[in-house]
Amino acid sequence: MNISENCVASFHYTLTDGTGKVLDSSEGHEPLSYLHGAGNIIPGLEDALVGKVVGDKLNVSVNAAEAYGLRDDSLVQELPSNMFSGIDNIEVGMEFHAETEQGLQVVTVTKVEGDQVTIDGNHPLAGVDLTFDVEITEVRAATEEELNHGHAHGAGGHHHH
């Protein structure tokens, strides 16, 4: 069976950036399962998997625009530390949920200088060209329930609690 709309595909992957640094890998874990055509994975990778079958191995380069988007400098803001009420020690790398015009957004603290805190609403991988080494391990028809929910269930997929 080929990977196509309304099928669930599972694959092992290693994700590297432009310098070859490993950012993420399924090694030692279950393969990642996703419902094809439902926007569960980044568009550039999903496009490259169309038509593939179990056992296929491929190396997929995805430019930043097709991955987590380009960096948007308007998402970087400097705020007074008193905006973070109830947090005594604000440190670089902390993540917060912020209410924005686009809805709830995760922002990361990138700089703390005196009582000024710089936050960045870009995805940590925004602006990064990515490379996926992929091996397809399973391709099957999606169940009615998976189609209704818009994601894969079971090992490596989405779990309902």
Side-chain angles (χ1 to χ4, degrees):
M1 186 174 181
N2 298 53
I3 295 178
S4 59
E5 200 82 17
N6 299 336
C7 80
V8 170
S10 303
F11 59 90
H12 274 298
Y13 67 93
T14 298
L15 169 62
T16 52
D17 66 11
T19 67
K21 179 178 151 208
V22 174
L23 304 174
D24 192 13
S25 174
S26 64
E27 202 173 315
H29 303 286
E30 291 283 340
L32 178 72
S33 298
Y34 78 100
L35 175 59
H36 192 84
N40 295 165
I41 60 175
I42 61 172
L45 179 57
E46 191 168 53
D47 292 347
L49 296 179
V50 171
K52 301 296 182 239
V53 297
V54 170
D56 279 354
K57 293 181 180 182
L58 58 157
N59 181 285
V60 183
S61 294
V62 181
N63 66 33
E66 289 290 304
Y68 292 98
L70 301 173
R71 285 193 55 80
D72 179 351
D73 290 335
S74 75
L75 296 176
V76 179
Q77 289 179 295
E78 221 175 81
L79 301 170
S81 58
N82 63 12
M83 296 273 296
F84 299 83
S85 57
I87 297 152
D88 298 333
N89 195 9
I90 300 168
E91 294 174 12
V92 169
M94 283 181 157
E95 290 185 345
F96 295 96
H97 288 94
E99 194 57 57
T100 69
E101 284 120 39
Q102 291 81 41
L104 207 57
Q105 192 172 16
V106 175
V107 297
T108 306
V109 175
T110 55
K111 193 165 94 181
V112 180
E113 215 168 76
D115 59 3
Q116 288 298 106
V117 178
T118 305
I119 58 165
D120 187 346
N122 285 289
H123 186 283
L125 294 176
V128 179
D129 294 333
L130 302 175
T131 300
F132 292 86
D133 274 309
V134 175
E135 181 180 354
I136 310 297
T137 59
E138 185 187 14
V139 181
R140 63 173 172 79
T143 65
E144 196 65 38
E145 187 183 28
E146 288 171 323
L147 293 173
N148 289 338
H149 288 193
H151 52 241
H153 292 174
H158 186 90
H159 299 277
H160 289 281
H161 301 286

